[in-house]
Amino acid sequence: MYHSTRNKDEKVSFSEAVIRGLAPDGGLYVPETIPKIDIKDLHARSWDYKAIAKFILGLYLDDFTEEQVSTCVERAYTGKFNTDEICPVNKVGERFYLELFHGPTLAFKDVALSILPEFMAVSAKNLGLKENILILTATSGDTGKAALEGFKNRRKVKIVVYYPVDGVSPTQKLQMVTQGGCNVHVYGIDGNFDSAQSAVKRVFRNKEFNQEMHKRGYILSSANSINIGRLLPQIVYYFYGYCQIVRSGGINLGDEINICVPTGNFGNILAAYYARIMGLPIKTLVCASNKNKVLTDFFKSGIYNKNRRFYSTSSPSMDILLSSNLERLIYHASGEDLNVVNDYIRCLSEKGIYEAPLSLLANIDEFSAEYTNEAQTRLAISNLYKKFNYVLDTHTAVAEHAYDKYIEKTMDSAPTIIVSTASPFKFPGSVLSALGKDLPKSEGKTPLDALKELSYISGRELPKSILKLYKLPIIFDDVISSDDLEEFLLKLEMLND
Ligand SMILES: *Cc1c(COP(=O)(O)O)cnc(C)c1O
């Protein structure tokens, strides 16, 4: 079963944890126990992605039947990804790139957000839920689109997405403001991702607003990685990727690997941490940040200080100063000590700064952290392209360079997975510019020309979903203040019928 990171007494089923999103006390749901897997057994079964997903999710979805788990997986991963492998591994030079961007919106968020709507539908049924679900989601760029695609036109669900109006890439923005579907709405928010995220958390805690929505037949839920239903599907690809590398002869079964993850809200790397506890032979988890390096400083110094300048970078999905999922790490690594968690919450909310006790730091030494600035991000893209003709997106490039730094300091020679979180087609301007191939605007070149150029350079087919974008009408152009979320929701037509 599941309970909050801030209170162990109230236990809920997986269904309830998924529907609620955030625990009533503001904490994040965590599993009571993390199951173990024998990697040798798992590998011996030679399962494909879906079979591994059914097995791993089956261990966590306590109140789902085997058939329910299986149906969720089949629906989520059939026909939506451009490869049956779902998350293929590409060996380039000495490193393995776990490509998580083959889904409908070209970022790793698709892996979890393709299945979260299935979880919600089954959970609502299991709980006999009468109400409709209203999903509120703050996005740093990629969650929004992936959630909109996952939830559009679903019965008994409405979804509202909030994105920082100047904090996402042009393609990310276009993906969201052109979104179709009868149950979706998108708002731009004045401010950065952190203010959008804390505004959404405020709405969740607003009792009066919740009661009003309840009267209208809605309960609130979240598609952010604070929802445990987002986290668990991400564990699957670490096991799958490892087994694929063994199968291709890249490593021997049982060998330890390092995993380097470009990190923002700390969800993806936390899933790798869970995989490690479950028995995946991971040596070091390298947490890669961009110029917003609050996590790098935390792992190096033990001090989390969010009182600092916020930078808008070319890897916008990682422009975050308050990483929600760190609360889950602190819960587990402190030995499930609620005093430590509550101290962390209090210090951050009162002073914006937290100093971890030594006992906690000793328990997170499987993490290492490095950061990458803008110039280094560009260099990482052009270097890998020059050497191997392999084109990285800006987020993956942050991980690539952070890992270079890690090796320089540690001389660690363990085999390595670099987690590739987005397709270069999602950030064509930054990627082409890093390759020295920006198209001169003066010659009347369009965004479509840039995408075609990138397709030619990378040798990858131009994804149809991107091509389509430029023909769609803009539907959502409202920009609102993060103080006014409730006011606009109450007026929203789709919530009034
Ligand atoms: C969301 C995102 C990240 C950060 O992932 P977290 O789970 O928030 O740490 C990194 N890269 C891309 C492309 C993303 O969309």
Side-chain angles (χ1 to χ4, degrees), residues 107-109 140 142 262-268 317-318 393 395 421-422:
F108 87 91
K109 310 284 201 303
S140 58
D142 290 327
T263 296
N265 224 357
F266 209 73
N268 206 1
S317 305
M318 300 159 66
D393 94 289
H395 302 73
T421 50

Side-chain angles (χ1 to χ4, degrees), residues 355-425:
E355 188 169 352
L358 288 177
S359 55
L360 178 66
L361 293 179
N363 280 338
I364 52 174
D365 60 357
E366 63 272 57
F367 284 90
S368 192
E370 297 294 344
Y371 80 99
T372 300
N373 68 26
E374 291 291 274
Q376 292 162 337
T377 304
R378 295 163 61 88
L379 256 180
I381 294 173
S382 71
N383 283 346
L384 205 67
Y385 178 68
K386 276 187 206 139
K387 267 201 218 148
F388 302 109
N389 277 322
Y390 186 67
V391 179
L392 299 174
D393 94 289
T394 45
H395 302 73
T396 312
V398 165
E400 172 78 7
H401 179 80
Y403 200 76
D404 289 343
K405 271 188 173 169
Y406 168 79
I407 293 189
E408 206 174 286
K409 289 183 187 160
T410 59
M411 311 295 271
D412 189 345
S413 62
T416 299
I417 292 179
I418 305 282
V419 176
S420 304
T421 50
S423 155
F425 289 113

Side-chain angles (χ1 to χ4, degrees), residues 59-204:
L59 300 174
Y60 281 101
L61 276 45
D62 58 325
D63 66 332
F64 277 37
T65 65
E66 205 178 318
E67 197 190 333
Q68 287 176 325
V69 174
S70 171
T71 308
C72 287
V73 169
E74 288 296 334
R75 288 198 176 142
Y77 302 126
T78 307
K80 290 187 191 154
F81 286 70
N82 71 8
T83 157
D84 286 340
E85 289 186 81
I86 310 296
C87 302
V89 180
N90 214 328
K91 184 168 191 212
V92 180
E94 290 301 308
R95 296 179 185 173
F96 300 97
Y97 294 81
L98 177 60
E99 295 185 351
L100 304 181
F101 53 76
H102 291 272
T105 77
L106 310 180
F108 87 91
K109 310 284 201 303
D110 284 325
V111 181
L113 283 163
S114 300
I115 200 164
L116 184 66
E118 309 297 341
F119 288 164
M120 285 212 178
V122 174
S123 298
K125 186 166 162 263
N126 286 353
L127 298 173
L129 198 72
K130 304 252 176 352
E131 294 91 343
N132 298 305
I133 301 171
L134 169 59
I135 293 174
L136 302 180
T137 289
T139 182
S140 58
D142 290 327
T143 291
K145 178 61 180 180
L148 289 163
E149 276 302 306
F151 284 103
K152 74 172 178 208
N153 297 330
R154 296 245 167 193
R155 286 186 56 241
K156 301 196 65 151
V157 178
K158 305 276 158 86
I159 174 165
V160 180
V161 165
Y162 302 94
Y163 70 91
V165 76
D166 296 317
V168 300
S169 83
T171 308
Q172 288 176 320
K173 182 168 172 182
L174 199 58
Q175 281 183 315
M176 289 186 276
V177 298
T178 57
Q179 178 67 42
C182 59
N183 62 337
V184 306
H185 204 92
V186 177
Y187 287 111
I189 290 275
D190 251 345
N192 60 35
F193 171 73
D194 290 306
S195 44
Q197 176 160 262
S198 47
V200 168
K201 284 187 178 168
R202 180 196 70 224
V203 179
F204 274 101

Side-chain angles (χ1 to χ4, degrees), residues 108-342:
F108 87 91
K109 310 284 201 303
D110 284 325
V111 181
L113 283 163
S114 300
I115 200 164
L116 184 66
E118 309 297 341
F119 288 164
M120 285 212 178
V122 174
S123 298
K125 186 166 162 263
N126 286 353
L127 298 173
L129 198 72
K130 304 252 176 352
E131 294 91 343
N132 298 305
I133 301 171
L134 169 59
I135 293 174
L136 302 180
T137 289
T139 182
S140 58
D142 290 327
T143 291
K145 178 61 180 180
L148 289 163
E149 276 302 306
F151 284 103
K152 74 172 178 208
N153 297 330
R154 296 245 167 193
R155 286 186 56 241
K156 301 196 65 151
V157 178
K158 305 276 158 86
I159 174 165
V160 180
V161 165
Y162 302 94
Y163 70 91
V165 76
D166 296 317
V168 300
S169 83
T171 308
Q172 288 176 320
K173 182 168 172 182
L174 199 58
Q175 281 183 315
M176 289 186 276
V177 298
T178 57
Q179 178 67 42
C182 59
N183 62 337
V184 306
H185 204 92
V186 177
Y187 287 111
I189 290 275
D190 251 345
N192 60 35
F193 171 73
D194 290 306
S195 44
Q197 176 160 262
S198 47
V200 168
K201 284 187 178 168
R202 180 196 70 224
V203 179
F204 274 101
R205 285 193 308 265
N206 182 337
K207 286 218 171 67
E208 221 174 295
F209 178 79
N210 274 270
Q211 277 163 3
E212 175 56 30
M213 280 296 144
H214 212 227
K215 269 195 226 149
R216 299 187 191 183
Y218 286 96
I219 56 166
L220 302 191
S221 188
S222 166
N224 281 106
S225 58
I226 52 176
N227 193 315
I228 189 74
R230 273 280 301 275
L231 198 63
L232 303 179
Q234 296 179 355
I235 297 171
V236 174
Y237 46 67
Y238 292 110
F239 280 95
Y240 175 79
Y242 184 93
C243 289
Q244 285 300 101
I245 296 171
V246 173
R247 207 162 296 158
S248 69
I251 54 173
N252 295 317
L253 184 56
D255 284 355
E256 285 196 320
I257 50 164
N258 292 337
I259 298 188
C260 181
V261 188
T263 296
N265 224 357
F266 209 73
N268 206 1
I269 196 167
L270 188 77
Y273 173 78
Y274 275 42
R276 187 177 187 275
I277 296 175
M278 291 174 73
L280 190 65
I282 298 172
K283 186 176 162 207
T284 301
L285 291 161
V286 181
C287 174
S289 296
N290 65 23
K291 209 172 165 193
N292 296 294
K293 62 184 184 61
V294 61
L295 285 166
T296 314
D297 294 342
F298 174 66
F299 283 109
K300 285 192 189 302
S301 69
I303 297 173
Y304 195 102
N305 185 354
K306 76 177 174 84
N307 305 321
R308 61 175 72 206
R309 193 174 146 199
F310 175 91
Y311 296 100
S312 289
T313 73
S314 60
S315 44
S317 305
M318 300 159 66
D319 290 345
I320 294 175
L321 293 181
L322 190 56
S323 301
S324 290
N325 278 293
L326 197 63
E327 182 170 338
R328 285 191 170 109
L329 177 68
I330 287 176
Y331 170 82
H332 292 294
S334 66
E336 311 183 356
D337 185 339
L338 296 189
N339 292 326
V340 175
V341 177
N342 287 324

